[in-house]
């Protein structure tokens, strides 16, 4: 009986020792996973990107669209295919200058509408592999006696140039 008691005690001690070893290994694995996750979070940090909103431009009359167009423009020639300088009654008389050697343009162009339509930039974020441009479109229900070609264009430093993911909020 004493032999059985001694063997049972030895087995219990061995099992307890193994359990602690597994627990310690599990904690080390968790610590290692947490380090990897925090490293991933640091290397995949989302950063806000500064931009300037285009002012005193119009969409050229040759753009015919029945849905929203999203475009990234990196040359003056391509820009001129979409936009032209235009002053409005609310204009300060100064259009937003664009130096395509240092900047590029991200634009959302809505379809021609007889309703008051506002396209707004909400945010531009760098997500390492791409930029994320979040925007909103709001239209009134009542038609007006004239049509507009709504758009938003933003000028971004060329240091941030990469693919853009457009997200309507």
């Amino acid at each position: 009986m004493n032999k059985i008691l001694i063997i049972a005690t030895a087995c219990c001690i061995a099992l307890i020792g193994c359990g602690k070893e597994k627990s310690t290994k599990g904690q080390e694995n968790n610590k290692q996973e947490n380090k990897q996750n925090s490293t991933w979070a640091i290397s995949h940090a989302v950063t806000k990107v500064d931009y300037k909103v285009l002012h005193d431009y119009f969409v050229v009359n040759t753009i015919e669209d029945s849905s929203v167009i999203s475009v990234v423009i990196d040359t003056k020639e391509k820009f001129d295919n979409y936009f032209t300088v235009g002053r409005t009654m609310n204009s300060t008389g100064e259009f937003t200058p664009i130096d395509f050697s240092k900047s590029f343009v991200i634009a959302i162009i809505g379809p021609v509408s007889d309703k008051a339509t506002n396209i707004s930039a909400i945010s531009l974020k760098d997500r390492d592999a791409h930029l994320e441009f979040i925007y909103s479109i709001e239209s009134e229900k009542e038609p007006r006696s004239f049509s507009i070609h709504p758009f938003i264009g933003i000028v971004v430093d060329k240091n941030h140039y990469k693919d853009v993911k457009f997200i309507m909020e």
Side-chain angles (χ1 to χ4, degrees):
M1 183 77 150
N2 284 341
K3 284 184 181 181
I4 295 175
L5 188 57
I6 292 172
I7 292 172
T9 305
C11 287
C12 286
I13 292 172
L15 288 174
I16 290 171
C18 289
K20 283 185 179 179
E21 185 178 315
K22 286 182 182 178
S23 175
T24 303
K25 282 184 181 177
Q27 289 171 352
E28 286 176 20
N29 287 341
N30 285 342
K31 285 179 186 177
Q32 200 168 20
E33 283 179 26
N34 288 341
K35 269 188 186 176
Q36 288 173 347
N37 288 340
S38 65
T39 302
W40 183 88
I42 291 168
S43 66
H44 292 84
V46 176
T47 56
K48 180 182 168 230
V49 178
D50 292 328
Y51 58 86
K52 293 180 187 174
V53 176
L54 284 179
H55 291 287
D56 293 336
Y57 288 94
F58 286 108
V59 177
V60 295
N61 290 334
T62 56
I63 300 294
E64 294 182 20
D65 51 346
S66 58
S67 62
V68 174
I69 297 172
S70 53
V71 63
V72 177
I73 304 169
D74 57 357
T75 66
K76 179 162 177 23
E77 293 76 25
K78 190 173 178 183
F79 184 82
D80 291 343
N81 288 331
Y82 290 95
F83 301 102
T84 186
V85 175
R87 302 201 189 320
T88 64
M89 292 184 340
N90 297 333
S91 172
T92 61
E94 304 232 359
F95 60 92
T96 308
I98 308 165
D99 180 351
F100 283 102
S101 68
K102 298 177 183 175
S103 305
F104 66 101
V105 173
I106 298 172
I108 300 290
I109 303 170
V112 174
S113 177
D114 62 351
K115 297 177 175 86
T117 303
N118 185 37
I119 303 176
S120 301
I122 296 173
S123 69
L124 180 63
K125 297 175 184 172
D126 188 332
R127 296 210 175 257
D128 282 343
H130 64 275
L131 295 177
E132 180 181 87
F133 181 49
I134 301 174
Y135 65 95
S136 67
I137 300 176
E138 296 175 5
S139 286
E140 292 184 6
K141 293 181 181 182
E142 294 299 314
R144 301 185 300 187
S145 61
F146 59 93
S147 294
I148 59 166
H149 207 153
F151 80 95
I152 180 106
I154 60 173
V155 181
V156 183
D157 188 295
K158 210 162 210 162
N159 291 329
H160 298 287
Y161 189 82
K162 56 179 75 173
D163 288 337
V164 178
K165 183 176 180 180
F166 295 85
I167 300 172
M168 185 170 75
E169 189 171 85

